[in-house]
Amino acid sequence: MNPINTIVSKTVVLPQADIDTDQIIPARFLTTTTREGLGQHAFADWRYAADGSERDDCVLNDPSLHGREVLVAGHNFGCGSSREHAPWALLDYGFRAVVSSGIADIFRANSLKNGLVPVIVDPDAHRWLLENPGADVEIDVETTQMKFDGRAVEFPIDGFSRYCLLNGIDQLGFLLENESAIAAFETNTQQ
């Protein structure tokens, strides 16, 4: 994971509510244990027709939007099963943050562990973001604020997850970072 302090991007908007993890990454693509290449399958049933061609009616196929790092989605994003492949697919596609007025707890936890920033905003801010696709946003992990349209809104993130995102480490990385302190503690408790 790379350290994440600030994400500055225009948004991509998927206004649908209740986007579940099977829509984010359909089950038929879960046969891999690596993250690489999952982005091509993100929202596969929305992006591709039965013959494999790109659908013109899917915003994620608009080449002018490629490179945008912030996905704004409808309420209750990431509901459904607990597949860790969902944040992997979004990250591999190129998103670094997901914004909604509600993000499912398990998806949120999986995102934080993998370096995808889940940003939960109030309904008023969410409505504005949904109605203004392509808005310029700045997500500051250190201050836990999202700035857009001349305003700043706070979003919740626990201290441990914030520390890990800012330092580009996961839970194992945190433990390894404290290996000498753990070894000293073990030595002291064995005496």
Side-chain angles (χ1 to χ4, degrees):
M1 250 176 25
N2 293 321
I4 302 171
N5 189 334
T6 305
I7 300 168
V8 178
S9 177
K10 291 186 177 296
T11 63
V12 174
V13 173
L14 290 177
Q16 297 87 340
D18 304 316
I19 297 175
D20 65 43
T21 54
D22 195 50
Q23 292 165 318
I24 298 168
I25 182 76
R28 64 187 176 277
F29 301 112
L30 302 182
T31 57
T32 182
T33 57
T34 63
R35 305 167 190 213
E36 293 79 26
L38 284 176
Q40 67 185 341
H41 305 301
F43 298 101
D45 294 337
W46 294 8
R47 292 171 55 203
Y48 305 109
D51 65 2
S53 63
E54 287 189 353
R55 296 174 51 143
D56 292 335
D57 62 346
C58 182
V59 68
L60 296 171
N61 290 333
D62 183 343
S64 71
L65 303 182
H66 291 178
R68 295 186 182 187
E69 299 178 325
V70 178
L71 174 64
V72 176
H75 183 73
N76 195 29
F77 185 80
C79 55
S81 68
S82 62
R83 63 186 68 165
E84 195 167 16
H85 291 69
W88 290 357
L90 293 173
L91 284 163
D92 195 57
Y93 180 85
F95 291 119
R96 297 177 63 208
V98 174
V99 180
S100 181
S101 58
I103 297 176
D105 290 341
I106 295 173
F107 176 83
R108 187 174 182 279
N110 283 336
S111 295
L112 289 167
K113 291 175 189 174
N114 287 285
L116 180 68
V117 182
V119 178
I120 299 173
V121 296
D122 64 80
D124 180 54
H126 186 234
R127 187 177 319 102
W128 190 92
L129 290 163
L130 289 174
E131 292 172 355
N132 292 276
D136 290 304
V137 298
E138 178 181 324
I139 297 169
D140 189 325
V141 173
E142 188 162 353
T143 64
T144 64
Q145 288 188 338
M146 180 174 174
K147 298 173 185 169
F148 60 94
D149 190 41
R151 60 178 125 174
V153 296
E154 293 194 12
F155 60 92
I157 189 167
D158 66 276
F160 178 71
S161 296
R162 186 174 149 270
Y163 176 86
C164 289
L165 289 170
L166 289 169
N167 290 283
I169 58 174
D170 58 11
Q171 293 168 333
L172 178 59
F174 177 79
L175 291 173
L176 293 173
E177 193 178 72
N178 292 285
E179 190 172 15
S180 60
I182 293 167
F185 174 80
E186 288 175 345
T187 300
N188 289 336
T189 58
Q190 293 173 358
Q191 295 176 357

